Amino acid sequence: MNKKFYITTPIYYVNDKPHAGHAYTTLVADVLARFHRQKGDDTFFLTGTDEHGSKIAEAAERNNQTPQEFCDQVSGSFKTAWDKDHLGIAYDYFIRTTDPNHEQAVRDIFQKLLAAKTPAGNSVLYEGEYEGLYCTGCEKFLTEKELVNGLCPDHQRAPELLKEKNYFFRLADYLPAIEQKITSGELQVLPESKKNEALGFIKQNVPDFSVSRSSVKWGIDLPFAPGQVAYVWVDALSNYITALGYPKNSELMAKYWPADVQLMAQDISKFHTIYWPALLMALDLPLPKTMFIHGFFTIDGQKMSKTIGNVINPNDLVAQFGQDATRYLLLSQFPLGQEADLQASLFKDRYNNDLANGIGNLVSRTANMVESYLAGKKPTLKKSTLDSNVNLPELNQFLIYEYLLAVRSFIDQANKLIDEQKPWQLAKTDLKATENVLGQVIELITFIAQSLAPIMPTTSAKITKQFTSDIIKKEEPLFPRL
Ligand code: MSP
């Protein structure tokens, strides 16, 4: 039965250009969305950019631009990196937190929170004074414990001591319910290690958090709190529902909410597994079904950073390898969810081995043989030799890496069939047998192409077209050797 499928990526900060980390999460979402569309599910895939906060205002200033000009430009570079001439991300909606609709929706959300009561009968929001060490790099207050030599370990700068009057969210009243929902699996947090991590946050009693800021200027102003703007994380997390028109347009909300899969890396798991469910409960909305939290990968053993100079721009990969190969190279190195290292130094070898010599060679030698021995006529196959219960690991179980391994074994199987049956010899004596072998190979090739559709959509379509027409012709190599 067809279902609805709503999948989201984090919305990315515009103080940074798109890099391999953003590309990775977005690609995973794209693969899952394409897989569900292929199954006939009514799919909605959301991505976008997170554009408020001092960090972004600072970056704009360094660039001699107004924050809005700066956001327009960088948000545009994310859209470009995802477009059909680059990574080919088929999102359904791209949200920007500076969209007037989103901004108004966030104000409406605050009004709702202001009027809401917690399960214990307390007001959800209350006014308080906040004093803390704030890192504008992280857009969050840090605890003394998190500092390394007095510096924010992620940004290598000293946090500022900030004191301000804020609205606070009464998180304490929601922690027991969140714990129960995560433990029971009503909110499924995957993989298991990240579920345990989320439960660990709760055990440590995450304190109430402030949801407004007076120290920040570039943000959504709150009419009931003059001089204060929405805390960037409340603004950002809300995107997953404001993109569906919440609270005004209930049609898309009714259709797609709750999200089926929310993807992210572990850097932002606390915001998603604790703050986000609490906000949703306060708004009386159901929780997402599954959060999948993947690892934060390093590049060739080192943290990806501008200082080290190992930041990978996905556009450069596409320029070097092409769209589908880039998608393959990013998704095939390690299992989703594992602590991992992306070995950029292996890209070229893997391209040549897996793609040029693997699927690329299989397709070109097969078309070649059909042209030479069968005058291009598509061989008819008397009996299918594909095992009727071929089982690929399930993409909807987040097994993209395992799935690609399995597809590769089918490519090997097809190549082996050719090597063993030697159609070039058969063709001299037995045309029927040649036709049969090539028919079997083509059956495998079309199965492989079909299976690759969510991951390498263009290649999949090209191969399918080439081998389902009655006359099979040699085409340009899919993956020219580098
Ligand atoms: N704007 C917030 C998210 C708000 S969501 C309501 C944010 N933005 S971010 O630009 O820093 O993006 C973080 C996300 O980018 C990670 O959670 C992950 O999806 C992706 N990645 C960034 N670097 C990555 C790696 N090195 N490895 C894997 N994913 C990475 O946080």
Side-chain angles (χ1 to χ4, degrees):
M1 201 188 65
N2 295 346
K3 300 193 183 122
K4 68 92 185 171
F5 183 71
Y6 180 30
I7 184 164
T8 69
T9 72
I11 48 172
Y12 305 112
Y13 286 133
V14 291
N15 63 317
D16 211 355
K17 285 204 220 75
H19 59 57
H22 309 124
Y24 182 75
T25 315
T26 312
L27 259 178
V28 170
D30 186 55
V31 168
L32 298 179
R34 285 175 188 268
F35 174 76
H36 280 272
R37 279 189 210 113
Q38 202 179 7
K39 279 208 312 179
D41 291 345
D42 181 352
T43 301
F44 195 88
F45 166 19
L46 175 71
T47 190
T49 43
D50 189 355
E51 308 186 7
H52 290 123
S54 353
K55 184 163 60 170
I56 286 151
E58 282 172 16
E61 206 175 304
R62 280 197 301 275
N63 240 33
N64 290 319
Q65 283 176 306
T66 65
Q68 191 62 57
E69 281 167 356
F70 177 75
C71 290
D72 290 350
Q73 183 189 313
V74 186
S75 183
S77 70
F78 275 90
K79 278 192 174 159
T80 303
W82 305 158
D83 73 16
K84 63 173 179 23
D85 298 321
H86 296 84
L87 269 184
I89 305 293
Y91 55 77
D92 293 289
Y93 191 63
F94 187 104
I95 191 166
R96 301 182 52 187
T97 55
T98 53
D99 290 338
N101 286 344
H102 170 81
E103 294 188 343
Q104 188 49 46
V106 169
R107 287 185 200 104
D108 295 344
I109 286 172
F110 268 89
Q111 289 295 348
K112 279 181 184 280
L113 293 176
L114 203 59
K117 293 268 187 268
T118 72
N122 299 312
S123 59
V124 169
L125 300 188
Y126 62 93
E127 283 189 87
E129 181 144 288
Y130 196 93
E131 189 183 67
L133 298 167
Y134 195 81
C135 172
T136 41
C138 304
E139 289 300 357
K140 66 180 182 193
F141 286 98
L142 300 175
T143 61
E144 295 276 0
K145 258 200 348 227
E146 288 171 296
L147 305 182
V148 177
N149 301 324
L151 302 181
C152 161
D154 286 344
H155 297 92
Q156 299 302 328
R157 57 168 134 166
E160 303 162 50
L161 185 69
L162 275 192
K163 192 169 172 181
E164 58 176 49
K165 247 191 135 104
N166 287 163
Y167 277 89
F168 280 73
F169 184 96
R170 210 179 297 273
L171 185 62
D173 281 8
Y174 292 96
L175 290 177
I178 298 172
E179 181 173 29
Q180 188 273 329
K181 284 174 198 280
I182 293 178
T183 312
S184 69
E186 195 180 324
L187 166 56
Q188 186 182 36
V189 179
L190 292 174
E192 185 77 10
S193 59
K194 297 298 186 294
K195 169 182 175 177
N196 294 334
E197 184 197 53
L199 293 171
F201 295 143
I202 298 174
K203 290 235 157 46
Q204 291 161 25
N205 262 324
V206 197
D208 290 356
F209 60 103
S210 60
V211 293
S212 62
R213 290 283 179 277
S214 50
S215 51
V216 178
K217 296 288 160 280
W218 177 240
I220 302 175
D221 56 291
L222 300 173
F224 63 89
Q228 298 198 52
V229 300
Y231 172 41
V232 71
W233 271 100
V234 177
D235 170 357
L237 288 163
S238 303
N239 93 86
Y240 301 130
I241 50 177
T242 65
L244 300 179
Y246 183 85
K248 292 228 157 61
N249 173 349
S250 59
E251 211 179 291
L252 285 179
M253 268 305 274
K255 192 160 168 197
Y256 292 112
W257 191 259
D260 295 271
V261 173
Q262 300 212 270
L263 283 174
M264 75 211 75
Q266 64 206 27
D267 53 335
I268 54 178
S269 64
K270 186 165 153 188
F271 297 102
H272 283 80
T273 57
I274 310 295
Y275 292 5
W276 180 223
L279 283 166
L280 287 167
M281 281 188 238
L283 295 170
D284 230 347
L285 290 171
L287 303 192
K289 293 184 197 153
T290 300
M291 289 185 189
F292 192 97
I293 303 171
H294 63 75
F296 207 73
F297 55 75
T298 49
I299 306 284
D300 292 316
Q302 285 182 296
K303 193 176 162 162
M304 189 169 17
S305 94
K306 280 185 207 145
T307 339
I308 298 172
N310 61 352
V311 178
I312 298 180
N313 178 338
N315 299 343
D316 294 343
L317 292 181
V318 174
Q320 189 181 357
F321 299 107
Q323 177 182 101
D324 277 356
T326 300
R327 294 170 63 101
Y328 176 85
L329 291 171
L330 287 174
L331 293 169
S332 64
Q333 273 209 9
F334 47 79
L336 180 62
Q338 200 159 83
E339 292 299 315
D341 185 44
L342 188 68
Q343 295 182 283
S345 46
L346 292 185
F347 282 167
K348 200 172 141 196
D349 281 351
R350 301 193 43 127
Y351 171 94
N352 281 330
N353 286 333
D354 296 1
L355 300 175
N357 297 347
I359 179 86
N361 186 41
L362 172 65
V363 162
S364 78
R365 73 200 290 215
T366 305
N368 230 344
M369 288 187 285
V370 177
E371 237 186 49
S372 314
Y373 311 139
L374 309 175
K377 221 178 121 255
K378 188 184 167 174
T380 41
L381 192 63
K382 281 197 291 298
K383 193 173 148 284
S384 166
T385 52
L386 256 189
D387 193 345
S388 56
N389 48 27
V390 273
N391 253 332
L392 286 174
E394 287 189 60
L395 280 182
N396 51 355
Q397 297 303 316
F398 304 99
L399 297 171
I400 299 179
Y401 168 86
E402 294 78 358
Y403 183 92
L404 280 172
L405 277 185
V407 173
R408 258 175 34 215
S409 76
F410 282 100
I411 296 169
D412 293 345
Q413 191 183 322
N415 270 322
K416 206 169 137 214
L417 188 63
I418 299 174
D419 295 342
E420 285 175 0
Q421 299 292 322
K422 304 189 175 47
W424 50 93
Q425 285 182 3
L426 270 186
K428 292 183 196 147
T429 54
D430 189 344
L431 264 189
K432 266 266 149 282
T434 313
E435 192 180 347
N436 198 44
V437 173
L438 291 176
Q440 287 173 17
V441 172
I442 289 170
E443 185 184 39
L444 274 167
I445 289 179
T446 37
F447 171 75
I448 291 162
Q450 196 67 23
S451 311
L452 283 176
I455 295 157
M456 306 171 87
T458 316
T459 305
S460 164
K462 268 196 210 159
I463 300 177
T464 306
K465 183 156 177 272
Q466 186 179 6
F467 287 93
T468 48
S469 62
D470 292 333
I471 293 295
I472 295 174
K473 288 206 267 308
K474 239 192 121 178
E475 310 272 355
E476 291 290 299
L478 291 169
F479 302 103
R481 265 193 83 83
L482 290 177

